Amino acid sequence: MIYVPVVALILMYSKIHVHVWENYAITNWRVLILVNLLPGIIGVCLLYRIPESPKYYLSVHKHAEAMAVLEKCCRANKGKNVTLASLGVEKVTQPRLSDYEIQHNGFTSLWYDTVPLFKGEYLRYMILTSISTYILFGAGFGLTIWVLRIRFISQQIVGNMILCDLLDQSQNSNITLEQVCDINLDSMMVSIVQACTTLTVLIIITILLLFLTRRTILLIFTLLGAFVGCLLNFVQLDAVIIAVFIMFIVLPLCCLRLAISILIDLVPTHLRAKGVAVIFLVGRIGVMTSSLFVGYTLKFCCLGTFNAFVLGLLVAAIMIFLLPTEYYIKHRDDKNA
C-alpha cells in the first residue's frame, strides 16, 4: 500500500520512452507495472524455499514427510550432528487429526475438505466468522475507492459541511472527475497517508496482542470503527472528513487477518485451507455487495448509506463476541492432546 503510490510518484515525473517496434515503446507506465510485479515475484521465490508445515503433513497422514521437515528444523536449530532420535523424539502427532486419508481426486477431495466445515460445532464457527468477515471486507475494501473521490470533491467546493452535504453539493453542481488521467502529488499523498495509517494500526494491534486476547482487540477496533463512522454525521472540515473516513476504512481492514486467525484455531488443520478459502470467498462477495450498495443508494440517501456500514460494524462486533474465547480454544486443544 505504501510501495505502489511511492513508486508511482517517482516514475510519473520521469520521461521514459524507449522505442521497441513500430508503435510499441517502453514508457513510464509500463515500467511502473513491471516494478509493481517485483514484490509478488520476490514473495513467490521466498515461499518456494519454505518447507511444508509438519502439521499439514500430519493432518493428511504423511508422518514420514512431517518427520523429515522436523529433522531439517532440528539440524538448523541445534547443529548438524543433532537429530530427533538423539533428543528422544521418535514420533509426533497433533490433536483433532482426520479419521480418513485425504482424497486427492477432484470433487472427492473438495467434498471431504468442505462438507465437514458445515457440520456440528464448525457450522457455528463458520457462520459467525463469515458474517463478521463479510462486513469487515465490505467496509474495509468497498469504501476505499471513495477516498480519492471525496478528496477531489472537497477541493472543488468551498465551505465547511458534513460529508453527505458535500456529496449532495457536488451532484447539484454537476462536478465530475476529469476525463484526462492526471496523477499528482496530492492524490498520491492521500493513498500514502492511508497506507501509513494502516501500518500504524497494525503495529498497535501487534503490541496489544502482548496484553489482550484477539477477540478483545477485535471488539475494541470494530466498535471503534463504528464510532468513527458515526462521526461522519458531524465533522465538517475537509481535512478532518478525510482523516475520519480513512480511519473508518482502516480499522475494519486491520481486523480481517485477526478474525480469520481465530477461525484457523477453531478448525482442525486438514480443514483450515478450505475454511479460509470459503471465508475469503464470502469476503469478496462482501466487497462486491458494498460497492453496489453505495453506488445505488448514495444519491438517494447518503446518510443512510454510511450509517448502514456503522450498523454493519455493530453486527460484526456481536458476531465476534459470540466466538469462543482464547481460554476455550487453548483448553480444548489441551484436552484433545
Side-chain angles (χ1 to χ4, degrees):
M1 293 175 69
I2 298 175
Y3 173 83
V4 171
V6 168
V7 172
L9 271 177
I10 296 172
L11 291 176
M12 73 180 185
Y13 293 115
S14 60
K15 303 297 181 182
I16 301 175
H17 189 90
V18 180
H19 182 265
V20 178
W21 178 70
E22 292 187 355
N23 293 328
Y24 184 85
I26 297 177
T27 62
N28 54 344
W29 286 103
R30 289 193 169 97
V31 173
L32 176 62
I33 294 173
L34 291 174
V35 172
N36 287 342
L37 287 174
L38 288 179
I41 295 173
I42 294 172
V44 169
C45 295
L46 292 175
L47 287 172
Y48 181 76
R49 298 290 301 171
I50 297 175
E52 184 57 82
S53 164
K55 289 190 70 176
Y56 170 75
Y57 278 137
L58 289 173
S59 69
V60 295
H61 301 282
K62 294 185 177 182
H63 299 278
E65 288 83 351
M67 290 296 291
V69 174
L70 289 174
E71 191 76 51
K72 184 177 179 180
C73 295
C74 178
R75 293 178 183 274
N77 293 329
K78 299 294 184 179
K80 294 184 178 180
N81 297 324
V82 181
T83 63
L84 292 175
S86 66
L87 298 175
V89 179
E90 299 295 337
K91 63 178 182 178
V92 291
T93 187
Q94 64 168 323
R96 297 186 295 164
L97 286 172
S98 61
D99 297 328
Y100 56 88
E101 295 285 342
I102 300 297
Q103 306 295 320
H104 295 282
N105 51 332
F107 290 106
T108 306
S109 176
L110 184 64
W111 176 268
Y112 280 115
D113 290 350
T114 306
V115 171
L117 290 169
F118 299 95
K119 292 182 178 180
E121 62 176 345
Y122 302 139
L123 175 61
R124 174 171 171 264
Y125 304 151
M126 288 297 296
I127 291 175
L128 293 176
T129 311
S130 296
I131 295 175
S132 58
T133 52
Y134 174 87
I135 296 170
L136 294 175
F137 261 95
F141 290 104
L143 294 176
T144 301
I145 60 174
W146 288 92
V147 176
L148 292 178
R149 172 73 174 177
I150 293 171
R151 177 60 177 167
F152 175 80
I153 293 173
S154 65
Q155 291 176 323
Q156 305 301 315
I157 298 177
V158 180
N160 295 327
M161 58 188 74
I162 65 173
L163 175 59
C164 284
D165 290 343
L166 194 68
L167 295 173
D168 290 339
Q169 184 69 25
S170 69
Q171 292 175 9
N172 295 333
S173 303
N174 293 322
I175 295 178
T176 57
L177 293 175
E178 297 179 6
Q179 297 299 317
V180 179
C181 184
D182 181 23
I183 297 179
N184 52 46
L185 178 63
D186 184 73
S187 61
M188 288 294 99
M189 284 305 299
V190 173
S191 298
I192 294 173
V193 168
Q194 180 182 349
C196 292
T197 304
T198 304
L199 180 61
T200 302
V201 174
L202 288 173
I203 292 173
I204 293 172
I205 290 176
T206 304
I207 296 173
L208 289 177
L209 282 170
L210 299 173
F211 310 100
L212 301 174
T213 64
R214 287 173 296 179
R215 196 178 69 149
T216 302
I217 296 173
L218 282 171
L219 285 172
I220 292 173
F221 279 84
T222 305
L223 292 174
L224 185 59
F227 171 74
V228 170
C230 289
L231 294 180
L232 291 174
N233 295 301
F234 309 104
V235 294
Q236 295 185 1
L237 295 176
D238 293 345
V240 178
I241 290 175
I242 296 295
V244 170
F245 196 81
I246 287 176
M247 287 301 297
F248 188 37
I249 296 170
V250 167
L251 289 171
L253 188 65
C254 292
C255 291
L256 280 171
R257 296 290 180 179
L258 213 55
I260 294 173
S261 72
I262 294 180
L263 176 69
I264 291 174
D265 282 349
L266 286 171
V267 299
T269 306
H270 63 281
L271 297 177
R272 288 174 181 172
K274 286 295 186 294
V276 173
V278 170
I279 291 300
F280 271 101
L281 173 63
V282 173
R284 298 295 190 273
I285 295 173
V287 176
M288 180 182 67
T289 305
S290 66
S291 299
L292 292 173
F293 175 75
V294 174
Y296 280 108
T297 63
L298 192 61
K299 290 183 178 180
F300 307 104
C301 186
C302 178
L303 288 174
T305 300
F306 291 114
N307 285 312
F309 284 94
V310 174
L311 180 61
L313 289 177
L314 293 176
V315 173
I318 295 173
M319 298 299 105
I320 293 169
F321 178 77
L322 294 176
L323 286 170
T325 62
E326 303 274 345
Y327 177 86
Y328 170 82
I329 296 173
K330 180 179 183 301
H331 285 267
R332 182 197 58 180
D333 287 343
D334 291 342
K335 182 179 178 181
N336 290 331

